[in-house]
Amino acid sequence: TKGAATMMKNIATTIGNTLVGKGFTRSAAFVQAWGMTKARHITRVVGVTVGNRQEALRRLARYGRDQIRVALVHEAGNQVDGNAVAVIVEVAGSRGYKMGYIARESAAILARALDKVGGKISATVEDITGGTIGLNAGLCISYKLGGVA
């Protein structure tokens, strides 16, 4: 639709301008930005060993992907990193739980794109890894910047 196309253009423009600010030439920045906007990104969630997140991951592993909702939310007021992007998980209509964050390197660009779409996009659980024989569990998710929540 026209609205979705306009949103993708806004996201690509935001990312492109951010990359220009990081030293890319304008043409290289916008080629990269369009690729980033259209691509499906798969990433590990960081911070999954903080607090009760390991127990939350064990519980999450009991559900099917179709029962899990994931949102990426820019935490502009985060005292450690103003570009922090939290990974919030809901199961079967439950209250959202912060499972961790997108890695800082990716969050610096992602936060600006999120701001363009109202601060939030949806994501999908790809895998819950580890968690056996004394190992910590991990969480892998995917998202598409053109996939607005």
Side-chain angles (χ1 to χ4, degrees), residues 42-53:
I42 299 175
T43 187
R44 262 183 345 117
V45 177
V46 300
V48 296
T49 58
V50 174
N52 293 323
R53 293 176 183 164

Side-chain angles (χ1 to χ4, degrees), residues 8-9 11-20 24-39 41 109 145:
M8 284 186 72
K9 182 179 176 184
I11 292 169
T13 300
T14 299
I15 292 170
N17 288 332
T18 301
L19 293 173
V20 167
F24 281 70
T25 65
R26 185 159 291 286
S27 62
F30 281 88
V31 166
Q32 180 77 14
W34 273 107
M36 291 173 73
T37 301
K38 294 176 182 178
H41 303 270
I109 292 174
L145 292 173

Side-chain angles (χ1 to χ4, degrees), residues 18 22 81 83 85 103-112:
T18 301
K22 292 184 177 285
D81 182 0
N83 289 322
V85 176
R104 185 178 297 231
E105 302 78 31
S106 298
I109 292 174
L110 181 56
R112 288 185 173 87

Side-chain angles (χ1 to χ4, degrees), residues 49 54 58 129-138:
T49 58
Q54 286 294 297
R58 281 188 279 285
T129 60
T132 58
I133 314 171
L135 299 175
N136 285 325

Side-chain angles (χ1 to χ4, degrees), residues 90-110:
E90 292 179 13
V91 177
S94 67
R95 199 176 77 208
Y97 185 79
K98 187 186 307 180
M99 294 302 298
Y101 291 89
I102 297 296
R104 185 178 297 231
E105 302 78 31
S106 298
I109 292 174
L110 181 56

